Amino acid sequence: MRAASIIRVCGRQASTAVSRRALLRTGIRSAVPSTVRSYASEAKLTRETYDVQRLEHFGKLSDADIAKFKEILQSDSALVQDQDDLLQFNEDWMRKYRGSSQLVLKPKTTDQVSQILKYCNEKKLAVVPQGGNTGLVGGSVPVFDEIVISTASMNKIHSFDPVSGILVADAGVILETADQYLREQGYIFPLDLGAKGSCHIGGNVATNAGGLRLLRYGSLHGTVLGLEAVLADGTVVNNLTTLRKDNTGYDMKQLFIGSEGTLGIVTAISILCPPKPTSVNVAFLGLESFKKVQDTFVQARSELSEILSAFECIDQGSLNQVAEHMDSPVPLDETYPFYVLIETSGSNKDHDEEKLNTFLENAMENESVLNGTVAMDETQAQNLWSWREMVPEALAKCGGVYKYDVSIPLPQLYDLVDDTKARLQEAGVIGETDEYPVVDVLGYGHIGDGNLHLNVAVRRYDKKVEQLLEPFVYEWIQKVNGSISAEHGLGFAKKNFIQYSKDAGMLTLMRGLKSHYDPNGILNPYKYM
Ligand code: FAD
Ligand code: MLT
Ligand code: ZN
């Protein structure tokens, strides 16, 4: 057996215990200190970067419209019109897309949403539903002057049943707030992701977000039991059921899950929440190849089975970028081509630790894993998690990032990173100095779900780089029967590429649904398909 430093297994040293998780959790947009994001100037207007034409049938905002919205919302503060205040609603998290909306509305009730949409539909005023604006495909911000309808003021928890574990809450509840509320009752939200401090649960449902523990708790298509939504014409669809089983008719809620604001505005959800695990272990491992990552995953599924709750992978380049922005030392003394974060969640500490220890001993014995560290307490666990959760923010600090969130059969998954890097190297656009637009090509993600995040970190957004990447990446994915979006959605970024993952028949069905539910096309135009 190779010399190892699996900490609790071998009992040789203590894991580094510097926790910056609190900072990281809030390190997303709304709560971020201004200095942290001062590296990039404001995004260029999407319509100019991508040469989009405004749809002529849409109305233009008038003083009479503003007066009507004031009447509906009964409060001036529920309307945002100040240019400085509008910027954060017009620009996306990556600072890649920017619209020029002149109005943000913040309704408090479903009835207000209904009145707003009814009016907008009659006047053909286009709208963009917006939650926490953490979306990564440009779906949450306007392209032109669409009115932003923010769920920020719809943030009440309606009910929680501690017997069934079913939560009913407004769409605008922040994910972390929902999770904290549930933890106090002995439960957790079945979704967790790095933007939890800012994203809204309605936004999560609208994007069908996957996150860090889909492997264990499944997709929102399974956990969301019901929802309430408002259609383009103002009709309120009430399907806020709290039943586990309901076989009466078409399962209409599924249409709204992942529809990214194109079919209606989700105003509330009902969701099945798992009990809070009482025993959680986190291990951070170093591996020599992506083949070993796969071997370790197969072994983890078999040996950790029911307690495995996350299997995340980070490549060396991604970890290096995080290291530049973290105060704490890297989790492992030596560098490795790949790192894996494994989490177990269960209810019996001794049982879970024994299982994990046996798994780690076996993984080192057969040399799938070369080195590793196991958190000894919650603070250390949070610190290890932060090395994974910090990746998107660290990469964005390079200046910008071209993001590809893809599903690929596991054996070919990392080849996409290698092939993309080779292509950009050949084109001479990657380098260490400012003259090169590209800093690096990196891969990380939810390997347990077959979901890779291919990221091209750039010093500045650059058309030549984009043209080298697209449609190359999408063609590559199509060849291996993958999906061009595993969890982030289509938004503006992938609107023109959906045919790489959906055939003509599916697209006809989707377009038919869209025109049925939103005949004037006012809901989130210029996006999705
Ligand atoms: P927004 O960004 O505001 O909106 C996203 C889309 O949903 C838009 O098209 C918008 O129009 C629509 N929408 C929002 N609210 C509603 C509503 N109430 N009704 C109808 N439509 C609506 N995503 C993952 O899947 N997994 C991850 O692990 C993950 N990690 C992330 C980490 C970081 C650091 C960041 C910045 C983002 C991450 N994301 C991840 C992407 C993003 O956080 C998710 O897509 C999230 O679900 C978006 O929620 P939001 O409230 O911010 O929605
Ligand atoms: C993640 O897994 O970290 C998120 O999906 C965000 C990203 O892809 O950058
Ligand atoms: Zn992800």
Side-chain angles (χ1 to χ4, degrees):
M1 180 170 151
R2 214 173 261 232
S5 62
I6 296 277
I7 283 151
R8 205 187 47 218
V9 179
C10 306
R12 288 202 202 128
Q13 51 182 303
S15 179
T16 48
V18 184
S19 173
R20 291 194 48 183
R21 176 118 159 160
L23 177 76
L24 299 166
R25 285 253 175 113
T26 54
I28 312 296
R29 193 52 135 193
S30 61
V32 81
S34 58
T35 49
V36 175
R37 290 192 62 91
S38 62
Y39 52 88
S41 58
E42 66 184 35
K44 288 190 188 138
L45 288 169
T46 309
R47 64 168 182 261
E48 288 172 3
T49 316
Y50 294 97
D51 195 19
V52 196
Q53 300 303 313
R54 186 179 185 279
L55 290 173
E56 281 177 7
H57 74 282
F58 288 140
K60 289 211 167 142
L61 192 67
S62 67
D63 289 346
D65 301 329
I66 303 274
K68 177 69 182 175
F69 294 131
K70 282 187 178 162
E71 184 194 314
I72 294 171
L73 295 174
Q74 294 174 7
S75 153
D76 285 3
S77 63
L79 286 78
V80 180
Q81 291 179 276
D82 176 85
Q83 288 303 316
D84 288 342
D85 297 340
L86 284 169
L87 183 60
Q88 62 168 307
F89 299 93
N90 269 317
E91 192 180 78
D92 77 315
W93 187 85
M94 296 178 293
R95 292 198 164 150
K96 191 170 176 201
Y97 303 101
R98 183 157 66 93
S100 46
S101 177
Q102 298 302 304
L103 182 66
V104 175
L105 301 176
K106 293 185 177 174
K108 280 199 166 112
T109 65
T110 302
D111 182 54
Q112 288 177 345
V113 176
S114 165
Q115 289 185 59
I116 291 168
L117 284 183
K118 185 171 185 297
Y119 181 82
C120 289
N121 197 43
E122 281 162 11
K123 299 278 173 187
K124 297 197 176 54
L125 291 167
V127 304
V128 177
Q130 192 178 93
N133 195 11
T134 67
L136 297 173
V137 287
S140 51
V141 290
V143 176
F144 292 92
D145 54 352
E146 300 88 275
I147 297 167
V148 175
I149 303 183
S150 164
T151 50
S153 298
M154 301 186 75
N155 48 20
K156 290 198 180 57
I157 287 174
H158 297 206
S159 65
F160 178 68
D161 173 8
V163 178
S164 62
I166 297 169
L167 173 82
V168 181
D170 277 352
V173 173
I174 290 173
L175 173 58
E176 192 167 38
T177 308
D179 188 59
Q180 272 162 3
Y181 169 86
L182 288 162
R183 280 175 188 274
E184 285 160 19
Q185 327 256 348
Y187 283 82
I188 59 172
F189 203 87
L191 168 77
D192 186 16
L193 47 83
K196 62 173 86 54
S198 298
C199 63
H200 296 183
I201 58 174
N204 299 148
V205 170
T207 54
N208 186 26
L212 304 164
R213 294 190 187 82
L214 185 137
L215 174 72
R216 174 66 170 273
Y217 301 117
S219 137
L220 291 172
H221 279 295
T223 49
V224 171
L225 300 178
L227 52 75
E228 178 189 72
V230 183
L231 304 183
D233 66 359
T235 304
V236 178
V237 180
N238 184 346
N239 181 219
L240 210 49
T241 169
T242 53
L243 304 172
R244 288 287 312 262
K245 299 177 81 174
D246 179 8
N247 263 358
T248 52
Y250 302 123
D251 192 358
M252 300 303 285
K253 69 170 184 289
Q254 300 296 354
L255 272 184
F256 294 92
I257 303 172
S259 64
E260 300 179 48
T262 60
L263 293 182
I265 298 192
V266 176
T267 45
I269 66 160
S270 146
I271 188 159
L272 181 66
C273 304
K276 182 171 105 177
T278 48
S279 149
V280 176
N281 293 296
V282 179
F284 199 92
L285 313 172
L287 302 92
E288 72 183 6
S289 67
F290 191 68
K291 170 77 176 66
K292 298 287 186 190
V293 173
Q294 293 175 65
D295 294 347
T296 307
F297 175 55
V298 172
Q299 194 188 330
R301 263 209 311 204
S302 148
E303 294 180 15
L304 298 171
S305 54
E306 83 287 354
I307 60 167
L308 182 65
S309 53
F311 191 99
E312 295 285 313
C313 176
I314 315 170
D315 68 5
Q316 191 178 355
S318 302
L319 194 93
N320 290 347
Q321 291 295 334
V322 179
E324 284 197 21
H325 304 287
M326 291 279 275
D327 290 342
S328 53
V330 288
L332 302 175
D333 295 340
E334 288 170 39
T335 55
Y336 298 90
F338 292 93
Y339 300 88
V340 160
L341 184 151
I342 288 181
E343 183 191 75
T344 66
S345 302
S347 57
N348 184 324
K349 193 169 178 289
D350 294 341
H351 163 271
D352 295 358
E353 282 183 8
E354 195 184 318
K355 258 189 151 170
L356 181 63
N357 290 348
T358 307
F359 159 76
L360 292 171
E361 277 162 13
N362 292 342
M364 297 199 66
E365 186 76 42
N366 65 27
E367 298 187 2
S368 302
V369 169
L370 296 181
N371 196 358
T373 181
V374 178
M376 310 278 280
D377 58 33
E378 210 184 316
T379 308
Q380 291 182 4
Q382 286 181 349
N383 181 49
L384 293 180
W385 260 117
S386 68
W387 285 91
R388 165 63 185 89
E389 288 188 56
M390 183 71 176
V391 175
E393 199 169 337
L395 300 191
K397 283 182 181 185
C398 295
V401 61
Y402 290 98
K403 282 186 172 289
Y404 302 94
D405 149 51
V406 305
S407 276
I408 300 179
L410 215 45
Q412 290 123 308
L413 194 121
Y414 199 79
D415 293 347
L416 177 60
V417 180
D418 291 335
D419 289 359
T420 306
K421 192 164 185 172
R423 180 174 168 84
L424 296 184
Q425 270 164 344
E426 201 180 311
V429 294
I430 303 190
E432 287 182 7
T433 54
D434 263 7
E435 71 192 276
Y436 299 97
V438 180
V439 178
D440 206 353
V441 179
L442 310 135
Y444 58 95
H446 319 289
I447 297 310
D449 310 328
N451 179 185
L452 169 79
H453 294 313
L454 164 72
N455 278 236
V456 178
V458 292
R459 298 186 170 86
R460 54 197 168 269
Y461 290 114
D462 182 301
K463 268 282 159 208
K464 184 179 171 202
V465 173
E466 190 168 314
Q467 282 160 2
L468 283 164
L469 292 168
E470 298 171 16
F472 167 79
V473 170
Y474 300 122
E475 284 170 354
W476 198 104
I477 292 160
Q478 190 180 37
K479 275 189 210 133
V480 294
N481 296 319
S483 168
I484 66 159
S485 175
E487 59 172 9
H488 294 165
L490 297 162
F492 182 86
K494 295 174 186 168
K495 171 194 158 73
N496 294 327
F497 302 103
I498 181 169
Q499 71 277 9
Y500 287 95
S501 287
K502 288 278 182 290
D503 76 1
M506 289 293 283
L507 280 173
T508 305
L509 272 182
M510 287 168 68
R511 291 191 176 121
L513 278 170
K514 171 70 178 173
S515 60
H516 174 74
Y517 284 103
D518 181 17
N520 292 325
I522 62 161
L523 286 167
N524 221 357
Y526 316 106
K527 323 261 176 71
Y528 208 67
M529 63 185 161

